[in-house]
Amino acid sequence: MIRGKEQQPFRNSEGGEIERTRPLSFSFDGKTYTGYEGDTLASALLANGVNLVGRSFKYHRPRGIYSAGPEEPNALVNLRSGGRQEPNTRATQIELFAGLEAKSQNRWPSLALDVMGVNDLAARFLVAGFYYKTFMGLPGWHFYEHFIRKAAGMGEAKHVSDPDIYDKMHGHADIVVVGAGPAGLAAALTAGQSGARVFLIDENDKPGGRLRSERETIDGKPAMDWAAQTLAELEEMENVTLLRRATAFGYYDGDTIAALERISDHLPVPAPFQVRQRRWLIHARKVLLATGSTERPLVFDGNDRPGVMLAGAARTYANRFAVRPGKHAVVFANNDDGYRTALDLAEAGIEVRGVIDPRTGGQGPLKEDVIAQGIDVVSGAVVVRTHGYLGLAGVDIADLGTLQSGTTPETRYIPCDLLATGGGWSPNVHLYSHQSGKPVYDPAIAAFVPGTSRMNDHSIGAARGRFSLGDCLADGYAAGQETAEALGFTTGAVADIPSTDEPATGPLKILWQVPALPGRKGRRFVDLQDDVTADDVKLAQSEGYVSVEHLKRYTTLGMGTDQGKTSNINGHGVLAEARGLDVSEVGTTTFRPPYTPVAIGAFAGREIGRHQNPVRRTPMHDWHLAHGAQMVEAGLWMRPQYYLGKEEPKSREAMFKAIELETLAVRNAAGISDVSTLGKIDIQGPDAAELLNRVYINGWKTLAVGKARYGVMLREDGVALDDGTTSRIGENHYYMTTTTAEAGPVMEHLELHLQVHWPDLDVKVASVSDEWAAMAIAGPNSRAILQDLFPQLDLSNDGFPFMGVRESKLGAMPARIFRISFSGELAYEIAVPAGYGEAAWERCLAVGESHGLVPYGLEALNILRIEKGHVTVAEIDGRVSAADLGFGQMMSSKKRFIGDALATRECMNDPGRPTLVGLTPVDGKTRIRAGSILVEDPKTPPPVPKLGHVSSTAPISPNVGHPISLGLLKDGPNRIGDTVWAVFPLKGEAVQVKVTRPNVYDVEGARLHG
């Protein structure tokens, strides 16, 4: 057996946080390697000498591991396989587990030999904005689009169902502390000791933050000893909740922190019934942002080669993982952190061949320590070029002053396989910015720091530019105490701030980019993931894209999965130089949630599949199935589409025959339809009529008891929300029906206004959609059937007029009867308590059999209502006004109602707006597809002016003898009799249609009134 350490040639035998007694086997691009528990995928790859991990987005240049955290722009892999495959996963944050499968992406056929690398040879033609300029001419964008989309993107998602479970949780806290570095731990400890409810959120498997990557001491002991002791104290506090492996990805109104807890991502497969990830919404009184900082890179020729790494990341791999990310290193930094990196790399056994420092003075004592170890320090110099292709071979350095003067400097070549670069640290202001905070520029650290907060948050430690360990500890203890006391908790005496032995450091040198060598056309990358160079930034500026927001969109700077964590500030610095401004004048782009990518499953939680869209069945569902109903899901309900006899085959011909017979039965005798799915809302109270008057466009205060009225609701913006009927059952008792699809939205609409806008109204509403079963009996024989069912009622036109309502008994069953019609026929709706639904249905069919009563489904119902021009959600689609549907005259001018002000806008009453019309094929037989676009002439070259669209259609109406449709057509009432074309692009179909009135059957309504 080969021992783990022999398989890991770049792993030190001692040190780090890894558990050497627990080796783990994993694979990358099909090759098997070994790491240890405690590794990340990135550290394990580096330990095995693997640095080439990916290809860049545009040029497909070789890319190596660049960082050690969420800012990673290069090491994006496809993790796992099958339904659990996850593209664009940062190797720097993947905890190693046994059997881990990872693959590189954005390359073909292999990582080392990528055919698309030819783009790199054409780089001078593929500058920022090239496709805006190139692909708009002949032969046109639509020709190029297919090829561009195939080349675009990074990883590839699979069209396979995700087998894992996701969950959602709410939390409530007095204080939320985001980040468990030294500042966050200190703040959480002090706040927790006060008795306040505290949430401590950290994205890593263990607290400690940067302490895990450094050789710092606190009170003379390793800093992680203090972190472990603090953690132990926090775990003993019942009022403190620790969320490990949880990233706070958003800060929202009401001081709400959204966090993603990765519960099982470090396991090969979640245990049975165990969730993979949990999304938290934590509602806080105060928020302390201890989110730390991110190291900035330096911009120079060839700074993207595998082997170039952030200096802080190099220290992380050496100290935390006992990994040597190279054998021979050069450090290039504009601040004293470079000397700390050199010392730590040398301690890890790496030969440091030089520290390149562009400063000429002002460094702290760390420089002397480096010189004392015999490491060459070159002051006033910069790296001007790197060498190598799939890996770093060496660097050229030159004098910065000579380079800035425009003179060609002498260069010196240093062979190396690791270049650790550091351009200073930028506070992570993302969460602060999510709540509209505006960062301000601090020239002392050449970075943006939090400014005035809009909500109850306070940034502490490195998150506000206090980078020393001592400052972070002091900031944390003070913030925890002050915040707890501000909330009314008692903290007692301030604890002594632990001591640290940090050496003094000198100021950094602002260096947004290293000037290019005169005469050399090398590329200096600002955004490594999206291949944005310093020259791209300058090009954007020269072409007028001088706003940082325009720069971002023109060059794609910061638009990758890393969201510009390592590139933004340098890009803005280069833009500032090009414009001759200070960076503070250029500003920053807007940081938006999420801080790091969040799986869609975490937003959905368990509300997927039937947990999101549960199957709803009417009380008569079993009867429908037993009698040949072909069911269809409509508005979350299972409804009969049509009925087949037991012996009839399920064929297209049988379907059309059944639909035709059902439609004719309603017109010639009688039909019964299950309408239990309609929304039903019970409204009671002295102000019930006032409520209806405010939500409907027409008047309701004169509606008599025992009568129903048709009404239309608008949204606040004047757009139609729903139509339906409301019946007055008693003096202060009303019964509202809505369309099936809008039952929930209408109920929400009423509750919102009653609870928020009109709490003074004395009225209560309750959804009773599931409490009542309902059936509609329609057709010329319907009155005779109702008379047999309810012999005690006077069903004459005078005794039970149109839109009348009665309460009676169907045998022993309580029932409500409504003379309402959706089919245009003489019709009644019967509602009984849901438990009586099937019995009432069977009784109706038994009594109606001698009158020719047959059940009919949705298809027949659709044909009947299109014949009469009645609208459904197909027409009330969130874009139309009441006037568009022909209800303009219903809008009362004597009262106020929701949406009245905006419904009277000129644009909402423009006669040229698409309005409801009927449509029939000119040839009398061709089907008009729903969704077709209405145009004057389909042969008009693009762009073709759109006149409207087809909203609903009936392939054939046996009552009028040809296909019919409803649609919305510009200036519809004035185009009756005209012909237009209905074009269905997906099928390449074009049908010439005649414009008619919406109602094409029984226009006078004689049948409706019996």
Side-chain angles (χ1 to χ4, degrees), residues 641-700:
Q641 187 178 16
Y642 57 92
Y643 295 84
L644 286 177
K646 291 184 179 180
E647 305 301 324
E648 291 183 83
K650 295 180 181 179
S651 65
R652 186 176 179 84
E653 292 75 15
M655 175 186 70
F656 281 117
K657 184 65 175 177
I659 295 169
E660 179 182 357
L661 291 175
E662 292 170 15
T663 306
L664 291 172
V666 176
R667 294 292 186 216
N668 297 324
I672 182 170
S673 175
D674 185 353
V675 293
S676 304
T677 63
L678 292 175
K680 309 173 195 71
I681 300 173
D682 199 76
I683 304 173
Q684 298 190 40
D687 294 325
E690 176 63 23
L691 170 66
L692 297 173
N693 224 36
R694 295 183 186 185
V695 298
Y696 281 123
I697 66 175
N698 47 329
W700 287 82

Side-chain angles (χ1 to χ4, degrees), residues 342-364:
L343 292 170
D344 286 3
L345 294 183
E347 180 68 18
I350 299 172
E351 180 189 0
V352 181
R353 292 181 168 175
V355 175
I356 315 303
D357 189 343
R359 299 172 297 173
T360 55
Q363 296 92 329

Side-chain angles (χ1 to χ4, degrees), residues 607-624:
E607 297 166 7
I608 59 173
R610 289 306 176 190
H611 291 288
Q612 179 197 14
N613 296 317
V615 175
R616 302 184 70 181
R617 301 176 177 88
T618 73
M620 292 81 94
H621 181 83
D622 291 341
W623 187 96
H624 297 318

